[in-house]
Amino acid sequence: MIVMKFGGSSVANAERIKHVASIIKAYQNDRPAVVLSAMGDTTDHLLEAADDAVNGKVDIERVAKLHRETISTLQLDGTATEELLKELNQLLTGISMLKELTKRTRDYLVSFGERLSVRIMAAYLQKEGIPARFYDAWDIGIVSDSSFMSAELLDEVWDNIPRYLTDYKNGNDNQIPIVTGFIAKDKKGNITTLGRGGSDLTATIIGSAMAADEIQTWKDVDGILTTDPRVCKDAKPVPEVTYEEAQELAMFGAQVLHPRSMVPCRKTGTPVRVKNSYNIQSPGSIIVEKHSGKVPPVCAITTVKHITLIDIVSSRMLGAAGFLAHVFNNFLKWNVSIDVIATSEVSVSLTVNTKADLSGLISDLEQASEVTVHTGKSIVTIVCDAAHSSAILASGFAALSDEGINVQMISQGASKVNISMIVDDDEAEKTVKILHGAFFS
């Protein structure tokens, strides 16, 4: 058994649904379970419809048009879709009367995207003679807590999912499960959403609970690449990365699985393969617990732009045990997350998301420290085997020095698989190109 996950762009319209169906058919003998996101920009259109409803206007036309046109093009029975669209219209009418959108109602609203897409895909597969059945996530026991908009799955899903899918895995049921990603229900029956990486999490929990041979996430590139191909045209696929390396890549800008979605497969050791939906013969990249062969010195290079660098210096606290506690307590107080950090006895340099409101935090830090804020910075991260950090830094910094790039901060993660550096935004792409040339050309 395998699990195949397709994002919104993969099922954006009728032609893309036909293409994904052909991929599912090609893997039919591997007993796939399929996880889908909402079609194209449907989630955005649902939220726009909610804003209109709060202002008194009920309009589902943008959502309805895409799905009705898709059904018409694919020549499907639209009964199931029309039932959902009717329910959606009723929900928006209720929102317009109350003139408010709670988190619970928002999750209910957003769920229509995934619920519509699985019904259309299952119907098309059946039309093509491929046995398939759609499932809303809760139909196979995916339950969460009640943290609307960012719900966490409950431990009981590990036992629930096999109860529903074991017959299919063992060949006693031949209907391919087409399952909604991103959504669940809480114990009270309220629909929830799983937050960032929610569809990936749905796929990995199903694959891990079912002890699948592998979990596949389908994208539009040949797997995980050595860097962004828009920056370096000679970026190449990375055949194999570890869960730890994949998490670092995702945290620092690469379009891999969201780090939280890798928790279930790390628990069971279930491999994840990143595949190209436009090149299904490509093996893609596989994410595993440990490298199967020789560990490459450098895996990939990523970048995150538009971050803020904060330098905190406090000579008054020289030798004082509470300096870092003072710094971190203030970040906790103001709910500001730190990305990269470097410290000495009386100074700390760290980066945060530029979108965060830092005014209160800076004011509090200045009570005991000199604080300097630098905007317009980028984090460039080398995901690597840090056991070779001296050689990696030597060759990397030599190349940067030759091109006049000044690194403003450096940090080696405790995970020992990344080295991050801070440069100006306008030097970020050049830095990536130089490092990529040094390590991969």
Side-chain angles (χ1 to χ4, degrees), residues 86-104:
K86 180 180 178 182
E87 183 183 341
L88 171 61
N89 194 74
Q90 290 170 342
L91 174 61
L92 290 169
T93 301
I95 292 170
S96 71
M97 294 173 68
L98 294 173
K99 298 196 182 307
E100 67 174 359
L101 182 67
T102 64
K103 288 184 177 182
R104 184 176 69 175

Side-chain angles (χ1 to χ4, degrees), residues 2 10 75 135 147 188 234 238 244 304 309 402:
I2 62 173
S10 295
Q75 298 181 332
Y135 291 91
S147 301
K188 297 178 181 178
D234 59 344
V238 181
E244 202 166 39
V304 179
L309 173 64
D402 289 344

Side-chain angles (χ1 to χ4, degrees), residues 81-146:
T81 300
E82 290 302 324
E83 288 176 356
L84 279 183
L85 291 174
K86 180 180 178 182
E87 183 183 341
L88 171 61
N89 194 74
Q90 290 170 342
L91 174 61
L92 290 169
T93 301
I95 292 170
S96 71
M97 294 173 68
L98 294 173
K99 298 196 182 307
E100 67 174 359
L101 182 67
T102 64
K103 288 184 177 182
R104 184 176 69 175
T105 304
R106 182 188 183 278
D107 278 4
Y108 177 20
L109 173 84
V110 168
S111 75
F112 283 90
E114 278 71 17
R115 292 158 70 195
L116 286 163
S117 72
V118 297
R119 284 156 174 79
I120 291 174
M121 179 62 76
Y124 182 70
L125 288 170
Q126 291 166 2
K127 177 175 176 287
E128 294 299 297
I130 304 167
R133 176 182 174 184
F134 71 81
Y135 291 91
D136 294 325
W138 46 86
D139 293 333
I140 60 167
I142 295 182
V143 292
S144 73
D145 62 18
S146 300

